[in-house]
Amino acid sequence: MMRLTLGPVLYLWDTDTWLDFYRRIADEADVNTVVLGEVVCSKRRHFHEQHLPAMVERLRRAGKAVRLASLALITLSREQRSTHDLTQRDDVEIEANDIAAHHTVAGRRHAIGPFVNVYNAATAKVLAWRGAASICLPPELPAASIAGIAAAVPDVELEVFAFGRAPLAISVRCAHARRKGLTKDNCRFVCGEEPDGLLVETLDRQPFLALNGVQTMSSTYSSLLGELSPLSKLGVGAMRLSPQRCDMVAVADTFRAAVSGRLSGAEAQGRLAELCPGVTFSNGAIHGQAGYLNVPAG
């Protein structure tokens, strides 16, 4: 049966919210793997870093596999040092979200996150040869590309980004802080004011993107509930759910019900819409169309 992975929280949530979220995930969420760690901005680390060891143990006691994720963009010497320290750990599986992190952990079993551009079979084969046992593919890949990659690395578990705002780009500059009249160096952590991202509209007031600190995301929520069976046939082994400020336990239960056949894709999508009121869903990329589109199943 297809597995479920809960990706790392990509937003800045206050410490109490972060702790309560993962305690509930440990106790209630029907997911196989949980990814922890700061991926977007190293300045956010001090909010949660001291709580990571205890949370790793709590999740493990609850029967979840745990990974620790690296930053998606390394620009400073201290980030280089912390990434090196992370990848030297042998007590937990590492998820590399930057090719430098992959280089450091190469030769040992590890995972590849969706921020590494695995766009073709040749890249996947090199990563697998260097120790990658799991690869979460970028959210913009169409099904035809996924099929080619799956055929090339049959022994690697492939994940697809199946729920949440899709990560599109990351920058050394912070547009989120700039939008609020601040700079990255003196940001005052204003990204925490939008725990699901700051929506960006076009000049004619149409939803366009979302800002999350130095990260640019989709304004829509990805949902691949209608594509579970075709993806499974292509060789995809896991769905990645990216945390949003909605009931993620119920979201995971909905995906589990769809994966197990207890709900049809349409039924599951209807339940998901109830859990995320006011959200626009999208799945265009998997169908080879514009990513913001929502293509009906069948």
Side-chain angles (χ1 to χ4, degrees), residues 2-142:
M2 192 175 284
R3 295 163 55 84
L4 296 180
T5 298
L6 183 73
V9 173
L10 298 178
Y11 309 98
L12 176 56
W13 292 354
D14 65 80
T15 302
D16 288 342
T17 298
W18 187 93
L19 286 169
D20 289 345
F21 174 77
Y22 279 113
R23 287 166 181 156
R24 188 164 180 239
I25 292 299
D27 296 343
E28 303 177 40
D30 188 4
V31 296
N32 302 99
T33 302
V34 178
V35 186
L36 296 171
E38 180 55 51
V39 172
V40 175
C41 178
S42 62
K43 291 178 66 176
R44 300 175 177 178
R45 278 182 169 152
H46 76 273
F47 285 91
H48 315 124
E49 193 165 29
Q50 68 270 31
H51 302 290
L52 282 175
M55 196 56 67
V56 168
E57 290 309 308
R58 179 160 183 166
L59 288 161
R60 282 174 166 169
R61 288 197 304 269
K64 274 78 170 172
V66 181
R67 299 176 190 152
L68 290 183
S70 78
L71 282 170
L73 181 64
I74 301 168
T75 62
L76 303 172
S77 295
R78 61 176 171 81
E79 294 171 347
Q80 184 179 25
R81 290 192 297 270
S82 63
T83 299
H84 180 270
D85 291 344
L86 173 69
T87 56
Q88 295 311 296
R89 294 184 57 166
D90 59 7
D91 59 326
V92 64
E93 186 172 68
I94 303 302
E95 178 172 285
N97 282 296
D98 178 275
I99 201 65
H102 163 72
H103 174 75
T104 308
V105 81
R108 295 163 33 216
R109 176 187 172 91
H110 62 281
I112 297 292
F115 297 90
V116 177
N117 294 334
V118 184
Y119 288 151
N120 53 55
T123 301
K125 289 172 72 173
V126 170
L127 296 175
W129 176 68
R130 291 167 60 86
S134 174
I135 298 174
C136 182
L137 298 172
E140 62 266 33
L141 281 186

Side-chain angles (χ1 to χ4, degrees), residues 139 161-166 218 220-224 272 280-283:
F161 192 94
F163 173 80
R165 292 199 196 279
S218 64
T220 60
Y221 283 21
S222 297
S223 174
L224 299 187
L272 196 63
T280 299
F281 294 98
S282 60
N283 63 1

